[in-house]
Amino acid sequence: MSTTTIDTTTSEITDAADAGDASLPALPTSRELYGRWEKQQWAVADVKVDRDAPVWQEMRPFIRQELLAALAELEVGEVCVVQTLSSLVDHAPSEDDRIYLATQLADEGRHVRFFQDYLSDAAGIDLEDAADGKALEAAASYGNLFEPTLRRSTARVREPGEGGTTAWYQALVQYHLITEGVLAATALRTMRTLARRAKLPALTEGLTNVTRDETRHVTYGLIAARHGVTAGHRDTIAETYLAGTRLAARVMVAPETRAVTPVLRIALRSRAAQLTGQWDMARDRMLRQLAVIGLPELRAEAARTWQSGCDQAMDEYRERWDTEHPVRRAAAA
Amino acid sequence: METTETTEDLGRRVRDLIGRMSPLGERTAESHHDVMNDLGYDSVAIVELALVLETEFELQPIDDEQAFDVVTVGDVEQLVRRLSGAGA
């Protein structure tokens, strides 16, 4: 049974975690995912990213900043996952897993190339310039808040005597389920909506391709984690998932970044609704994944952890900026 | 900044701005127009408009007692007058 569907009328791509069904849906095998990879190839050059350049030159500041920040988050995340996936490949539990994960490594490289080409040739960002591309990358919440954890856990997979299979499942949860299944999936969906709204055909096409690849990656994470839950790694997966949930909530709130806070109340409410819409999307994906991997009993605790993570991040925002986060300001208005 | 700007001048500048930034494409905005239904503003465009208004008219942080929801272009004109001090 196929768990990935592409609705050609809406270009929406869904994976097993989108199904919204608390029962355990059937998942493909890693060998079947390899087969999909062969059929779902695309080339960055075919997207012709520079056709979006005229739109970027006329773009208004707010949506330009929103798009640039989201592109930088995705680019930073993709660079990180390219650099960290190889330990999961090397220590994969089976040959089919290893072969599938090798295809994923190729995908991640392609994504980096797409986002860097797009930032450079469509948005006109100099990625080597300290005040331009480097500043954008340095502001990415994922890079500041989650990347160090992922780098530590994937490095631990390679260290002899550091936990073996346990370390592999910890890294898998942080990589496939939290980074890709929650954070990247939410960012991609938000970004595709913005790209369509801004009438950016190359970005829309490229993000659709990236999302299709990511759907395979997340599906692999669900397969592997479900297997781990039934193979004696339930507690490791549950603990890692909850810790990742708290960190993911912080990434979504991004307390280290001063948020746009309009003076006009109607705009403040709109802004707050945009942000909470993204947070809710991420939380819902996080909860649905738990059901798919066979840990539905963890959902109530995960929901509390998520809310607590958001609340703490908004407290941190107030401490750092000496003002309430726009979501709290809108709620109080 | 010109301090002798009349209420009508300020209203015209607000209407011009709202018309220029309409997501439906540049058009004439009248005070009775519904910002969302007649001029196509969605939540992103509303935020964008608010940020431009804040800069253009040097709007001060809102006092909740003064705040009210805007529906029409005329509502925006009135709010900008209050928050910029022109209508005090």
Side-chain angles (χ1 to χ4, degrees), chain A residues 199-240:
Chain A
K199 298 182 174 57
L200 294 163
L203 185 57
T204 301
E205 181 182 331
L207 291 174
T208 299
N209 293 335
V210 170
T211 303
R212 189 177 297 119
D213 292 343
E214 293 292 340
T215 298
R216 289 194 305 276
H217 306 171
V218 175
T219 301
Y220 175 77
L222 296 169
I223 298 168
R226 183 191 284 183
H227 180 262
V229 166
T230 58
H233 301 283
R234 189 245 177 230
D235 290 348
T236 295
I237 290 170
E239 286 166 18
T240 309

Side-chain angles (χ1 to χ4, degrees), chain A residues 232-302:
Chain A
H233 301 283
R234 189 245 177 230
D235 290 348
T236 295
I237 290 170
E239 286 166 18
T240 309
Y241 200 92
L242 288 175
T245 291
R246 177 173 295 279
L247 203 44
R250 192 155 172 252
V251 170
M252 292 302 296
V253 175
E256 79 289 358
T257 303
R258 184 73 185 253
V260 169
T261 308
V263 166
L264 298 185
R265 192 165 69 172
I266 186 175
L268 177 62
R269 283 182 176 164
S270 287
R271 182 60 182 154
Q274 289 161 13
L275 294 174
T276 52
Q278 292 168 28
W279 300 354
D280 291 349
M281 192 190 305
R283 182 204 57 206
D284 292 348
R285 285 194 63 88
M286 178 274 292
L287 293 174
R288 285 201 300 270
Q289 286 187 153
L290 279 172
V292 176
I293 64 174
L295 293 174
E297 72 280 6
L298 209 63
R299 285 189 295 185
E301 186 177 356

Side-chain angles (χ1 to χ4, degrees), chain A residues 1-4 15 27-41 96-97 99-101 103-104 107 176 212-224:
Chain A
M1 174 185 163
S2 170
T3 56
T4 302
D15 59 38
L27 293 171
T29 63
S30 51
R31 194 183 187 102
E32 287 167 338
L33 285 179
Y34 174 84
R36 289 184 193 175
W37 177 77
E38 282 196 339
K39 293 174 187 159
Q40 295 176 336
Q41 290 295 309
D96 278 349
D97 290 302
I99 290 169
Y100 162 75
L101 284 167
T103 72
Q104 184 175 329
D107 290 340
H176 286 78
R212 189 177 297 119
D213 292 343
E214 293 292 340
T215 298
R216 289 194 305 276
H217 306 171
V218 175
T219 301
Y220 175 77
L222 296 169
I223 298 168

Side-chain angles (χ1 to χ4, degrees), chain A residues 100-123:
Chain A
Y100 162 75
L101 284 167
T103 72
Q104 184 175 329
L105 193 49
D107 290 340
E108 308 292 15
R110 181 164 43 197
H111 298 174
V112 171
R113 188 57 65 216
F114 169 70
F115 286 116
Q116 292 185 343
D117 282 4
Y118 193 87
L119 281 162
S120 167
D121 299 345

Side-chain angles (χ1 to χ4, degrees), chain A residues 59-64 194 197 199 260-271 274 329 332-333, chain B residues 20-21 36 42-48 50-51 53-54 59-62 64 67-70 79 83:
Chain A
M59 202 176 285
R60 295 205 175 98
F62 173 67
I63 193 160
R64 177 182 171 81
L194 283 175
R197 183 191 180 281
K199 298 182 174 57
V260 169
T261 308
V263 166
L264 298 185
R265 192 165 69 172
I266 186 175
L268 177 62
R269 283 182 176 164
S270 287
R271 182 60 182 154
Q274 289 161 13
R329 287 187 69 157
Chain B
R20 275 206 310 277
M21 292 183 64
M36 290 185 171
D42 59 13
S43 63
V44 173
I46 285 284
V47 174
E48 198 149 52
L51 298 175
L53 287 170
E54 286 173 27
L59 305 186
Q60 300 304 307
I62 204 157
D64 284 345
F68 61 96
D69 287 329
V70 298
L79 190 57
L83 297 178

